[in-house]
Amino acid sequence: MVDTALCLEALSALSGCSVQQSGGASQLGPQDFVNIVALRQFYKREGLEQLEYPSLGSMSLRDDAVDRDMDDLYSAPPALTAPPPAPESRPVARVNPDDFFDRKFDYDFTNIKDGERRFVRGDEPYFRPCGWRRVALNVSGKYDDGSDVWLGTGSQAWPVSYQGLHMDGSLILTLRKGSKEEGGLLDEAAQSLMDTTDFGRGIYSTPDVLLAEKHCKTFKSSSNGKTYKVLLQNRISPSRRKVCERDRVWVVYVPQDHSQIQTRALVQESVRPYGLLLKEA
């Protein structure tokens, strides 16, 4: 089982908050963390310096500059994690591990190799996170529709996507620059996305865990001194996501006229987390 302290460090690295253990009710739930990760990336691309989030207040987006040089959209994420923001600049989020995680569904993929085995979620290929350890999030029965069908394996389930801290609109630009190495030129659909004036206005993720790993967050644990990679494993609404680059990049578009409240609601309706993934770097 992954140590709880390490899990909270991973959540801190992803969110930009100082996530601390609480014995009371959790201040934030799993959905809040995928919201924050997605919104931080989106609003950085929009040129904002602050993100307002319920119960946390104003969150600085300028601190993210230590993670990635946003002036160079073609560069890969840094191999090593830069120093975290000063503690006073990071809002505190308190989490009760007992109601935030669902540890009976944890799964260790560290030594698993699927090879030619194929898996499906929502009638779409599911590429399991081989090489990673998954800490399950407590999301069963947490949504208004009262059903966990989205979390299942049947045709009505939502497909699986992976969310990394550096997955924003520049991801397709990175693929475009390296398209030959990625297996050929972009298809017409992806090309049309790059030609539109709204290119980049959206929440990005991928069904390909190998691609997500290239754009993931890394952090050095203060509890054991090791460096880890971290991702969120999500389900994404098949009706809201758009497919680009041969099913390797998915985007949920955000209309130009959406307010921050509407944008947060759109993320919450479109992307649902169910696993925190950790891997030694």
Side-chain angles (χ1 to χ4, degrees), residues 143-180:
Y143 292 91
D144 291 341
D145 53 21
S147 170
D148 288 336
V149 170
W150 66 275
L151 197 55
T153 61
S155 60
Q156 299 303 308
W158 289 11
V160 174
S161 74
Y162 298 95
Q163 184 84 26
L165 190 64
H166 303 293
M167 297 185 65
D168 56 20
S170 63
L171 177 60
I172 294 182
L173 290 176
T174 302
L175 288 172
R176 185 183 189 186
K177 180 172 183 270
S179 59
K180 292 183 179 179

PDB file of all heavy atoms in Angstrom, residues 143-180:
ATOM      1  N   TYR A 143     -21.887  11.146  -7.361  1.00  0.00           N
ATOM      2  CA  TYR A 143     -22.386  12.056  -8.398  1.00  0.00           C
ATOM      3  C   TYR A 143     -23.901  12.055  -8.449  1.00  0.00           C
ATOM      4  O   TYR A 143     -24.554  11.066  -8.075  1.00  0.00           O
ATOM      5  CB  TYR A 143     -21.769  11.700  -9.744  1.00  0.00           C
ATOM      6  CG  TYR A 143     -20.276  11.995  -9.754  1.00  0.00           C
ATOM      7  CD1 TYR A 143     -19.358  11.023  -9.376  1.00  0.00           C
ATOM      8  CD2 TYR A 143     -19.802  13.257 -10.083  1.00  0.00           C
ATOM      9  CE1 TYR A 143     -17.988  11.296  -9.340  1.00  0.00           C
ATOM     10  CE2 TYR A 143     -18.444  13.546 -10.056  1.00  0.00           C
ATOM     11  CZ  TYR A 143     -17.545  12.563  -9.681  1.00  0.00           C
ATOM     12  OH  TYR A 143     -16.204  12.846  -9.635  1.00  0.00           O
ATOM     13  N   ASP A 144     -24.458  13.147  -8.947  1.00  0.00           N
ATOM     14  CA  ASP A 144     -25.901  13.400  -8.846  1.00  0.00           C
ATOM     15  C   ASP A 144     -26.754  12.388  -9.593  1.00  0.00           C
ATOM     16  O   ASP A 144     -27.925  12.218  -9.272  1.00  0.00           O
ATOM     17  CB  ASP A 144     -26.225  14.811  -9.374  1.00  0.00           C
ATOM     18  CG  ASP A 144     -25.684  15.896  -8.462  1.00  0.00           C
ATOM     19  OD1 ASP A 144     -25.401  15.590  -7.287  1.00  0.00           O
ATOM     20  OD2 ASP A 144     -25.536  17.054  -8.930  1.00  0.00           O
ATOM     21  N   ASP A 145     -26.179  11.733 -10.623  1.00  0.00           N
ATOM     22  CA  ASP A 145     -27.010  10.795 -11.375  1.00  0.00           C
ATOM     23  C   ASP A 145     -27.310   9.529 -10.579  1.00  0.00           C
ATOM     24  O   ASP A 145     -28.131   8.708 -10.987  1.00  0.00           O
ATOM     25  CB  ASP A 145     -26.357  10.432 -12.712  1.00  0.00           C
ATOM     26  CG  ASP A 145     -24.922   9.935 -12.546  1.00  0.00           C
ATOM     27  OD1 ASP A 145     -24.556   9.502 -11.440  1.00  0.00           O
ATOM     28  OD2 ASP A 145     -24.175   9.985 -13.545  1.00  0.00           O
ATOM     29  N   GLY A 146     -26.637   9.358  -9.430  1.00  0.00           N
ATOM     30  CA  GLY A 146     -26.936   8.235  -8.547  1.00  0.00           C
ATOM     31  C   GLY A 146     -26.501   6.894  -9.069  1.00  0.00           C
ATOM     32  O   GLY A 146     -26.849   5.856  -8.496  1.00  0.00           O
ATOM     33  N   SER A 147     -25.754   6.870 -10.138  1.00  0.00           N
ATOM     34  CA  SER A 147     -25.327   5.614 -10.743  1.00  0.00           C
ATOM     35  C   SER A 147     -23.817   5.608 -10.919  1.00  0.00           C
ATOM     36  O   SER A 147     -23.198   6.645 -11.174  1.00  0.00           O
ATOM     37  CB  SER A 147     -26.001   5.426 -12.105  1.00  0.00           C
ATOM     38  OG  SER A 147     -25.434   4.335 -12.800  1.00  0.00           O
ATOM     39  N   ASP A 148     -23.224   4.436 -10.795  1.00  0.00           N
ATOM     40  CA  ASP A 148     -21.789   4.286 -11.025  1.00  0.00           C
ATOM     41  C   ASP A 148     -21.497   3.628 -12.372  1.00  0.00           C
ATOM     42  O   ASP A 148     -20.418   3.083 -12.579  1.00  0.00           O
ATOM     43  CB  ASP A 148     -21.159   3.448  -9.907  1.00  0.00           C
ATOM     44  CG  ASP A 148     -21.078   4.216  -8.588  1.00  0.00           C
ATOM     45  OD1 ASP A 148     -21.074   5.456  -8.630  1.00  0.00           O
ATOM     46  OD2 ASP A 148     -21.031   3.563  -7.521  1.00  0.00           O
ATOM     47  N   VAL A 149     -22.467   3.710 -13.289  1.00  0.00           N
ATOM     48  CA  VAL A 149     -22.272   3.116 -14.607  1.00  0.00           C
ATOM     49  C   VAL A 149     -21.045   3.712 -15.295  1.00  0.00           C
ATOM     50  O   VAL A 149     -20.295   3.015 -15.981  1.00  0.00           O
ATOM     51  CB  VAL A 149     -23.532   3.314 -15.489  1.00  0.00           C
ATOM     52  CG1 VAL A 149     -23.256   2.909 -16.933  1.00  0.00           C
ATOM     53  CG2 VAL A 149     -24.693   2.506 -14.934  1.00  0.00           C
ATOM     54  N   TRP A 150     -20.823   5.015 -15.092  1.00  0.00           N
ATOM     55  CA  TRP A 150     -19.679   5.696 -15.709  1.00  0.00           C
ATOM     56  C   TRP A 150     -18.353   5.057 -15.317  1.00  0.00           C
ATOM     57  O   TRP A 150     -17.366   5.118 -16.050  1.00  0.00           O
ATOM     58  CB  TRP A 150     -19.671   7.170 -15.302  1.00  0.00           C
ATOM     59  CG  TRP A 150     -19.419   7.411 -13.835  1.00  0.00           C
ATOM     60  CD1 TRP A 150     -20.342   7.401 -12.835  1.00  0.00           C
ATOM     61  CD2 TRP A 150     -18.158   7.686 -13.219  1.00  0.00           C
ATOM     62  NE1 TRP A 150     -19.748   7.652 -11.619  1.00  0.00           N
ATOM     63  CE2 TRP A 150     -18.402   7.837 -11.825  1.00  0.00           C
ATOM     64  CE3 TRP A 150     -16.851   7.816 -13.691  1.00  0.00           C
ATOM     65  CZ2 TRP A 150     -17.387   8.108 -10.911  1.00  0.00           C
ATOM     66  CZ3 TRP A 150     -15.829   8.097 -12.780  1.00  0.00           C
ATOM     67  CH2 TRP A 150     -16.105   8.234 -11.416  1.00  0.00           C
ATOM     68  N   LEU A 151     -18.340   4.400 -14.158  1.00  0.00           N
ATOM     69  CA  LEU A 151     -17.129   3.832 -13.595  1.00  0.00           C
ATOM     70  C   LEU A 151     -16.957   2.351 -13.948  1.00  0.00           C
ATOM     71  O   LEU A 151     -15.988   1.715 -13.544  1.00  0.00           O
ATOM     72  CB  LEU A 151     -17.174   3.992 -12.067  1.00  0.00           C
ATOM     73  CG  LEU A 151     -15.920   3.843 -11.240  1.00  0.00           C
ATOM     74  CD1 LEU A 151     -14.826   4.775 -11.705  1.00  0.00           C
ATOM     75  CD2 LEU A 151     -16.245   4.096  -9.768  1.00  0.00           C
ATOM     76  N   GLY A 152     -17.899   1.816 -14.734  1.00  0.00           N
ATOM     77  CA  GLY A 152     -17.888   0.386 -15.010  1.00  0.00           C
ATOM     78  C   GLY A 152     -17.028  -0.015 -16.198  1.00  0.00           C
ATOM     79  O   GLY A 152     -16.125   0.716 -16.630  1.00  0.00           O
ATOM     80  N   THR A 153     -17.348  -1.191 -16.742  1.00  0.00           N
ATOM     81  CA  THR A 153     -16.588  -1.740 -17.868  1.00  0.00           C
ATOM     82  C   THR A 153     -17.442  -1.933 -19.107  1.00  0.00           C
ATOM     83  O   THR A 153     -16.928  -2.298 -20.163  1.00  0.00           O
ATOM     84  CB  THR A 153     -15.976  -3.099 -17.484  1.00  0.00           C
ATOM     85  OG1 THR A 153     -17.032  -4.013 -17.151  1.00  0.00           O
ATOM     86  CG2 THR A 153     -15.036  -2.959 -16.292  1.00  0.00           C
ATOM     87  N   GLY A 154     -18.748  -1.691 -19.008  1.00  0.00           N
ATOM     88  CA  GLY A 154     -19.652  -1.928 -20.126  1.00  0.00           C
ATOM     89  C   GLY A 154     -19.679  -0.803 -21.136  1.00  0.00           C
ATOM     90  O   GLY A 154     -18.932   0.179 -21.047  1.00  0.00           O
ATOM     91  N   SER A 155     -20.587  -0.915 -22.089  1.00  0.00           N
ATOM     92  CA  SER A 155     -20.662   0.061 -23.175  1.00  0.00           C
ATOM     93  C   SER A 155     -21.123   1.438 -22.704  1.00  0.00           C
ATOM     94  O   SER A 155     -20.875   2.436 -23.365  1.00  0.00           O
ATOM     95  CB  SER A 155     -21.611  -0.451 -24.268  1.00  0.00           C
ATOM     96  OG  SER A 155     -22.919  -0.644 -23.746  1.00  0.00           O
ATOM     97  N   GLN A 156     -21.812   1.508 -21.555  1.00  0.00           N
ATOM     98  CA  GLN A 156     -22.271   2.787 -21.036  1.00  0.00           C
ATOM     99  C   GLN A 156     -21.241   3.468 -20.136  1.00  0.00           C
ATOM    100  O   GLN A 156     -21.455   4.593 -19.687  1.00  0.00           O
ATOM    101  CB  GLN A 156     -23.583   2.590 -20.261  1.00  0.00           C
ATOM    102  CG  GLN A 156     -24.730   2.047 -21.096  1.00  0.00           C
ATOM    103  CD  GLN A 156     -25.025   2.929 -22.294  1.00  0.00           C
ATOM    104  OE1 GLN A 156     -25.201   4.138 -22.154  1.00  0.00           O
ATOM    105  NE2 GLN A 156     -25.070   2.344 -23.476  1.00  0.00           N
ATOM    106  N   ALA A 157     -20.146   2.790 -19.872  1.00  0.00           N
ATOM    107  CA  ALA A 157     -19.095   3.379 -19.046  1.00  0.00           C
ATOM    108  C   ALA A 157     -18.397   4.502 -19.806  1.00  0.00           C
ATOM    109  O   ALA A 157     -18.451   4.571 -21.036  1.00  0.00           O
ATOM    110  CB  ALA A 157     -18.083   2.310 -18.648  1.00  0.00           C
ATOM    111  N   TRP A 158     -17.751   5.385 -19.073  1.00  0.00           N
ATOM    112  CA  TRP A 158     -16.968   6.445 -19.699  1.00  0.00           C
ATOM    113  C   TRP A 158     -15.564   5.919 -20.000  1.00  0.00           C
ATOM    114  O   TRP A 158     -15.005   5.138 -19.211  1.00  0.00           O
ATOM    115  CB  TRP A 158     -16.869   7.649 -18.777  1.00  0.00           C
ATOM    116  CG  TRP A 158     -18.140   8.432 -18.615  1.00  0.00           C
ATOM    117  CD1 TRP A 158     -19.401   8.067 -19.031  1.00  0.00           C
ATOM    118  CD2 TRP A 158     -18.284   9.712 -17.995  1.00  0.00           C
ATOM    119  NE1 TRP A 158     -20.313   9.033 -18.706  1.00  0.00           N
ATOM    120  CE2 TRP A 158     -19.656  10.062 -18.064  1.00  0.00           C
ATOM    121  CE3 TRP A 158     -17.407  10.587 -17.388  1.00  0.00           C
ATOM    122  CZ2 TRP A 158     -20.148  11.263 -17.543  1.00  0.00           C
ATOM    123  CZ3 TRP A 158     -17.886  11.780 -16.866  1.00  0.00           C
ATOM    124  CH2 TRP A 158     -19.246  12.114 -16.954  1.00  0.00           C
ATOM    125  N   PRO A 159     -14.980   6.342 -21.108  1.00  0.00           N
ATOM    126  CA  PRO A 159     -13.600   5.934 -21.427  1.00  0.00           C
ATOM    127  C   PRO A 159     -12.606   6.469 -20.391  1.00  0.00           C
ATOM    128  O   PRO A 159     -12.881   7.447 -19.691  1.00  0.00           O
ATOM    129  CB  PRO A 159     -13.348   6.558 -22.800  1.00  0.00           C
ATOM    130  CG  PRO A 159     -14.714   6.837 -23.356  1.00  0.00           C
ATOM    131  CD  PRO A 159     -15.589   7.132 -22.180  1.00  0.00           C
ATOM    132  N   VAL A 160     -11.447   5.840 -20.334  1.00  0.00           N
ATOM    133  CA  VAL A 160     -10.387   6.222 -19.403  1.00  0.00           C
ATOM    134  C   VAL A 160      -9.459   7.247 -20.051  1.00  0.00           C
ATOM    135  O   VAL A 160      -9.068   7.106 -21.213  1.00  0.00           O
ATOM    136  CB  VAL A 160      -9.570   4.995 -18.973  1.00  0.00           C
ATOM    137  CG1 VAL A 160      -8.371   5.404 -18.115  1.00  0.00           C
ATOM    138  CG2 VAL A 160     -10.451   4.011 -18.206  1.00  0.00           C
ATOM    139  N   SER A 161      -9.115   8.289 -19.291  1.00  0.00           N
ATOM    140  CA  SER A 161      -8.115   9.244 -19.751  1.00  0.00           C
ATOM    141  C   SER A 161      -7.149   9.541 -18.613  1.00  0.00           C
ATOM    142  O   SER A 161      -7.455   9.305 -17.439  1.00  0.00           O
ATOM    143  CB  SER A 161      -8.754  10.545 -20.250  1.00  0.00           C
ATOM    144  OG  SER A 161      -9.215  11.333 -19.173  1.00  0.00           O
ATOM    145  N   TYR A 162      -5.979  10.048 -18.978  1.00  0.00           N
ATOM    146  CA  TYR A 162      -4.947  10.384 -18.002  1.00  0.00           C
ATOM    147  C   TYR A 162      -4.663  11.877 -18.053  1.00  0.00           C
ATOM    148  O   TYR A 162      -4.581  12.470 -19.127  1.00  0.00           O
ATOM    149  CB  TYR A 162      -3.665   9.585 -18.280  1.00  0.00           C
ATOM    150  CG  TYR A 162      -3.874   8.098 -18.167  1.00  0.00           C
ATOM    151  CD1 TYR A 162      -4.155   7.326 -19.298  1.00  0.00           C
ATOM    152  CD2 TYR A 162      -3.821   7.460 -16.937  1.00  0.00           C
ATOM    153  CE1 TYR A 162      -4.370   5.960 -19.196  1.00  0.00           C
ATOM    154  CE2 TYR A 162      -4.037   6.092 -16.821  1.00  0.00           C
ATOM    155  CZ  TYR A 162      -4.309   5.344 -17.956  1.00  0.00           C
ATOM    156  OH  TYR A 162      -4.521   3.990 -17.853  1.00  0.00           O
ATOM    157  N   GLN A 163      -4.515  12.468 -16.861  1.00  0.00           N
ATOM    158  CA  GLN A 163      -4.319  13.910 -16.739  1.00  0.00           C
ATOM    159  C   GLN A 163      -2.981  14.176 -16.075  1.00  0.00           C
ATOM    160  O   GLN A 163      -2.704  13.693 -14.979  1.00  0.00           O
ATOM    161  CB  GLN A 163      -5.437  14.504 -15.873  1.00  0.00           C
ATOM    162  CG  GLN A 163      -5.403  16.014 -15.758  1.00  0.00           C
ATOM    163  CD  GLN A 163      -6.100  16.682 -16.926  1.00  0.00           C
ATOM    164  OE1 GLN A 163      -6.983  16.096 -17.529  1.00  0.00           O
ATOM    165  NE2 GLN A 163      -5.697  17.896 -17.242  1.00  0.00           N
ATOM    166  N   GLY A 164      -2.123  14.934 -16.773  1.00  0.00           N
ATOM    167  CA  GLY A 164      -0.855  15.347 -16.201  1.00  0.00           C
ATOM    168  C   GLY A 164      -0.831  16.846 -16.030  1.00  0.00           C
ATOM    169  O   GLY A 164      -1.633  17.573 -16.615  1.00  0.00           O
ATOM    170  N   LEU A 165       0.095  17.353 -15.225  1.00  0.00           N
ATOM    171  CA  LEU A 165       0.119  18.776 -14.937  1.00  0.00           C
ATOM    172  C   LEU A 165       0.490  19.610 -16.148  1.00  0.00           C
ATOM    173  O   LEU A 165       0.139  20.775 -16.236  1.00  0.00           O
ATOM    174  CB  LEU A 165       1.101  19.060 -13.800  1.00  0.00           C
ATOM    175  CG  LEU A 165       1.054  20.481 -13.233  1.00  0.00           C
ATOM    176  CD1 LEU A 165      -0.296  20.756 -12.588  1.00  0.00           C
ATOM    177  CD2 LEU A 165       2.162  20.707 -12.223  1.00  0.00           C
ATOM    178  N   HIS A 166       1.211  19.040 -17.114  1.00  0.00           N
ATOM    179  CA  HIS A 166       1.685  19.803 -18.266  1.00  0.00           C
ATOM    180  C   HIS A 166       0.887  19.517 -19.531  1.00  0.00           C
ATOM    181  O   HIS A 166       1.378  19.698 -20.633  1.00  0.00           O
ATOM    182  CB  HIS A 166       3.160  19.483 -18.519  1.00  0.00           C
ATOM    183  CG  HIS A 166       4.029  19.755 -17.342  1.00  0.00           C
ATOM    184  ND1 HIS A 166       4.259  21.026 -16.856  1.00  0.00           N
ATOM    185  CD2 HIS A 166       4.706  18.918 -16.527  1.00  0.00           C
ATOM    186  CE1 HIS A 166       5.057  20.950 -15.799  1.00  0.00           C
ATOM    187  NE2 HIS A 166       5.339  19.699 -15.589  1.00  0.00           N
ATOM    188  N   MET A 167      -0.349  19.058 -19.387  1.00  0.00           N
ATOM    189  CA  MET A 167      -1.156  18.718 -20.550  1.00  0.00           C
ATOM    190  C   MET A 167      -2.138  19.845 -20.836  1.00  0.00           C
ATOM    191  O   MET A 167      -3.234  19.900 -20.301  1.00  0.00           O
ATOM    192  CB  MET A 167      -1.896  17.409 -20.323  1.00  0.00           C
ATOM    193  CG  MET A 167      -0.954  16.235 -20.154  1.00  0.00           C
ATOM    194  SD  MET A 167      -1.830  14.679 -20.039  1.00  0.00           S
ATOM    195  CE  MET A 167      -2.542  14.613 -21.665  1.00  0.00           C
ATOM    196  N   ASP A 168      -1.707  20.773 -21.694  1.00  0.00           N
ATOM    197  CA  ASP A 168      -2.579  21.860 -22.107  1.00  0.00           C
ATOM    198  C   ASP A 168      -2.553  21.936 -23.620  1.00  0.00           C
ATOM    199  O   ASP A 168      -2.150  20.986 -24.294  1.00  0.00           O
ATOM    200  CB  ASP A 168      -2.167  23.181 -21.451  1.00  0.00           C
ATOM    201  CG  ASP A 168      -0.708  23.530 -21.726  1.00  0.00           C
ATOM    202  OD1 ASP A 168      -0.141  22.990 -22.694  1.00  0.00           O
ATOM    203  OD2 ASP A 168      -0.144  24.341 -20.977  1.00  0.00           O
ATOM    204  N   GLY A 169      -2.976  23.054 -24.188  1.00  0.00           N
ATOM    205  CA  GLY A 169      -3.048  23.173 -25.637  1.00  0.00           C
ATOM    206  C   GLY A 169      -1.724  23.028 -26.327  1.00  0.00           C
ATOM    207  O   GLY A 169      -1.653  22.699 -27.516  1.00  0.00           O
ATOM    208  N   SER A 170      -0.610  23.266 -25.619  1.00  0.00           N
ATOM    209  CA  SER A 170       0.708  23.126 -26.235  1.00  0.00           C
ATOM    210  C   SER A 170       1.055  21.671 -26.504  1.00  0.00           C
ATOM    211  O   SER A 170       2.000  21.381 -27.230  1.00  0.00           O
ATOM    212  CB  SER A 170       1.776  23.750 -25.335  1.00  0.00           C
ATOM    213  OG  SER A 170       1.847  23.067 -24.097  1.00  0.00           O
ATOM    214  N   LEU A 171       0.291  20.738 -25.930  1.00  0.00           N
ATOM    215  CA  LEU A 171       0.562  19.325 -26.149  1.00  0.00           C
ATOM    216  C   LEU A 171       0.481  18.963 -27.621  1.00  0.00           C
ATOM    217  O   LEU A 171       1.326  18.239 -28.147  1.00  0.00           O
ATOM    218  CB  LEU A 171      -0.442  18.476 -25.346  1.00  0.00           C
ATOM    219  CG  LEU A 171      -0.356  16.962 -25.517  1.00  0.00           C
ATOM    220  CD1 LEU A 171       1.010  16.455 -25.111  1.00  0.00           C
ATOM    221  CD2 LEU A 171      -1.429  16.286 -24.684  1.00  0.00           C
ATOM    222  N   ILE A 172      -0.543  19.483 -28.323  1.00  0.00           N
ATOM    223  CA  ILE A 172      -0.665  19.176 -29.742  1.00  0.00           C
ATOM    224  C   ILE A 172       0.472  19.824 -30.519  1.00  0.00           C
ATOM    225  O   ILE A 172       0.976  19.259 -31.484  1.00  0.00           O
ATOM    226  CB  ILE A 172      -2.033  19.608 -30.292  1.00  0.00           C
ATOM    227  CG1 ILE A 172      -3.136  18.759 -29.654  1.00  0.00           C
ATOM    228  CG2 ILE A 172      -2.086  19.463 -31.801  1.00  0.00           C
ATOM    229  CD1 ILE A 172      -4.517  19.078 -30.160  1.00  0.00           C
ATOM    230  N   LEU A 173       0.908  21.012 -30.089  1.00  0.00           N
ATOM    231  CA  LEU A 173       2.047  21.636 -30.754  1.00  0.00           C
ATOM    232  C   LEU A 173       3.289  20.777 -30.597  1.00  0.00           C
ATOM    233  O   LEU A 173       4.083  20.624 -31.514  1.00  0.00           O
ATOM    234  CB  LEU A 173       2.290  23.031 -30.171  1.00  0.00           C
ATOM    235  CG  LEU A 173       1.241  24.100 -30.490  1.00  0.00           C
ATOM    236  CD1 LEU A 173       1.581  25.392 -29.764  1.00  0.00           C
ATOM    237  CD2 LEU A 173       1.151  24.344 -31.985  1.00  0.00           C
ATOM    238  N   THR A 174       3.463  20.192 -29.418  1.00  0.00           N
ATOM    239  CA  THR A 174       4.597  19.306 -29.195  1.00  0.00           C
ATOM    240  C   THR A 174       4.518  18.108 -30.123  1.00  0.00           C
ATOM    241  O   THR A 174       5.500  17.694 -30.730  1.00  0.00           O
ATOM    242  CB  THR A 174       4.619  18.832 -27.727  1.00  0.00           C
ATOM    243  OG1 THR A 174       4.676  19.977 -26.875  1.00  0.00           O
ATOM    244  CG2 THR A 174       5.828  17.952 -27.460  1.00  0.00           C
ATOM    245  N   LEU A 175       3.324  17.539 -30.271  1.00  0.00           N
ATOM    246  CA  LEU A 175       3.143  16.396 -31.159  1.00  0.00           C
ATOM    247  C   LEU A 175       3.373  16.790 -32.617  1.00  0.00           C
ATOM    248  O   LEU A 175       3.923  16.026 -33.401  1.00  0.00           O
ATOM    249  CB  LEU A 175       1.739  15.817 -30.994  1.00  0.00           C
ATOM    250  CG  LEU A 175       1.478  15.069 -29.685  1.00  0.00           C
ATOM    251  CD1 LEU A 175       0.007  14.727 -29.572  1.00  0.00           C
ATOM    252  CD2 LEU A 175       2.330  13.831 -29.594  1.00  0.00           C
ATOM    253  N   ARG A 176       2.954  18.007 -32.951  1.00  0.00           N
ATOM    254  CA  ARG A 176       3.129  18.459 -34.330  1.00  0.00           C
ATOM    255  C   ARG A 176       4.615  18.547 -34.683  1.00  0.00           C
ATOM    256  O   ARG A 176       5.059  18.116 -35.721  1.00  0.00           O
ATOM    257  CB  ARG A 176       2.463  19.823 -34.519  1.00  0.00           C
ATOM    258  CG  ARG A 176       2.494  20.312 -35.965  1.00  0.00           C
ATOM    259  CD  ARG A 176       1.876  21.690 -36.068  1.00  0.00           C
ATOM    260  NE  ARG A 176       1.697  22.087 -37.446  1.00  0.00           N
ATOM    261  CZ  ARG A 176       1.285  23.280 -37.825  1.00  0.00           C
ATOM    262  NH1 ARG A 176       0.995  24.184 -36.908  1.00  0.00           N
ATOM    263  NH2 ARG A 176       1.145  23.572 -39.096  1.00  0.00           N
ATOM    264  N   LYS A 177       5.398  19.124 -33.757  1.00  0.00           N
ATOM    265  CA  LYS A 177       6.828  19.259 -33.985  1.00  0.00           C
ATOM    266  C   LYS A 177       7.480  17.887 -34.099  1.00  0.00           C
ATOM    267  O   LYS A 177       8.394  17.680 -34.895  1.00  0.00           O
ATOM    268  CB  LYS A 177       7.456  20.047 -32.842  1.00  0.00           C
ATOM    269  CG  LYS A 177       8.970  20.249 -32.985  1.00  0.00           C
ATOM    270  CD  LYS A 177       9.445  21.198 -31.907  1.00  0.00           C
ATOM    271  CE  LYS A 177      10.947  21.468 -32.073  1.00  0.00           C
ATOM    272  NZ  LYS A 177      11.753  20.518 -31.341  1.00  0.00           N
ATOM    273  N   GLY A 178       7.012  16.931 -33.298  1.00  0.00           N
ATOM    274  CA  GLY A 178       7.624  15.607 -33.295  1.00  0.00           C
ATOM    275  C   GLY A 178       6.787  14.578 -34.019  1.00  0.00           C
ATOM    276  O   GLY A 178       6.861  13.397 -33.711  1.00  0.00           O
ATOM    277  N   SER A 179       5.986  15.005 -34.999  1.00  0.00           N
ATOM    278  CA  SER A 179       5.032  14.091 -35.625  1.00  0.00           C
ATOM    279  C   SER A 179       5.707  12.920 -36.321  1.00  0.00           C
ATOM    280  O   SER A 179       5.186  11.823 -36.336  1.00  0.00           O
ATOM    281  CB  SER A 179       4.150  14.845 -36.625  1.00  0.00           C
ATOM    282  OG  SER A 179       4.939  15.448 -37.632  1.00  0.00           O
ATOM    283  N   LYS A 180       6.874  13.118 -36.898  1.00  0.00           N
ATOM    284  CA  LYS A 180       7.543  12.009 -37.567  1.00  0.00           C
ATOM    285  C   LYS A 180       7.938  10.933 -36.567  1.00  0.00           C
ATOM    286  O   LYS A 180       7.792   9.749 -36.812  1.00  0.00           O
ATOM    287  CB  LYS A 180       8.769  12.515 -38.328  1.00  0.00           C
ATOM    288  CG  LYS A 180       8.406  13.389 -39.518  1.00  0.00           C
ATOM    289  CD  LYS A 180       9.653  13.815 -40.292  1.00  0.00           C
ATOM    290  CE  LYS A 180       9.272  14.677 -41.498  1.00  0.00           C
ATOM    291  NZ  LYS A 180      10.479  15.120 -42.248  1.00  0.00           N
TER     292      LYS A 180
END
